[in-house]
Amino acid sequence: MGRKYSFEVNRTSTASPEALFALEADGPRWAEWGRPLIVQARWARRGTGDPDGVGAVREVGLWPVLIREETLEYELGRKHVYTFAGGRPLKDYRAEVLFTPMAGGGTHLRWTGSFTEPVTGSGPVVAATLRNVIRLFSAKLVKAAETGR
């Protein structure tokens, strides 16, 4: 069994937690703000109860490479937790996105992830790659929420 690794990305935004959450948790909207890495985004399955909530599976990427992410926890405007559906491309992957209102307005965004290294010794490189990808996505998310694009 491989070692566990994790990463964390923090950002602040002038946008509200609700505005940021609405963009991040809505699968199809990733194609609006996630370019050039995300060109296609859609729901593969809707959630139980809330269609965007627990059990929902979004597919994001560019065909034929689509990543499937299943929602594990969903607290409207505050928290979105997901994993890779089917355990791919990383074993035991779990990401948590927290949207915390700041006292003077705006939002503190905290995006964390953890996984089991797929091949012994690959953990540090995979963690660094994921951190950089999430840095990119979180910057795009903040910009989209702040500018409305």
Side-chain angles (χ1 to χ4, degrees), residues 12-37:
T12 58
S13 173
T14 58
S16 69
E18 294 79 14
L20 288 158
F21 181 91
L23 290 172
E24 189 280 328
D26 185 343
R29 295 195 67 191
W30 277 62
E32 295 173 19
W33 59 266
R35 292 179 185 267
L37 295 176

Side-chain angles (χ1 to χ4, degrees), residues 31-143:
E32 295 173 19
W33 59 266
R35 292 179 185 267
L37 295 176
I38 305 297
V39 176
Q40 295 173 283
R42 64 178 178 240
W43 290 118
R45 180 177 75 210
R46 299 312 298 260
T48 55
D50 188 319
D52 297 349
V54 174
V57 175
R58 65 183 174 204
E59 290 181 334
V60 297
L62 176 59
W63 190 89
V65 180
L66 294 173
I67 304 293
R68 295 170 54 91
E69 300 172 336
E70 181 175 356
T71 296
L72 302 174
E73 296 179 39
Y74 183 89
E75 295 177 31
L76 191 60
R78 183 176 130 26
K79 180 180 182 181
H80 182 225
V81 179
Y82 63 92
T83 187
F84 290 137
R88 292 190 181 95
L90 287 176
K91 185 177 180 185
D92 302 325
Y93 182 75
R94 179 183 171 91
E96 180 175 286
V97 191
L98 294 175
F99 307 88
T100 305
M102 296 189 308
T107 304
H108 176 257
L109 170 67
R110 181 175 180 257
W111 200 324
T112 61
S114 62
F115 63 94
T116 300
E117 68 181 351
V119 176
T120 301
S122 67
V125 171
V126 173
T129 300
L130 285 170
R131 184 180 307 106
N132 287 331
V133 168
I134 295 303
R135 275 188 189 136
L136 174 66
F137 282 138
S138 62
K140 289 180 164 298
L141 174 65
V142 164
K143 182 179 179 185

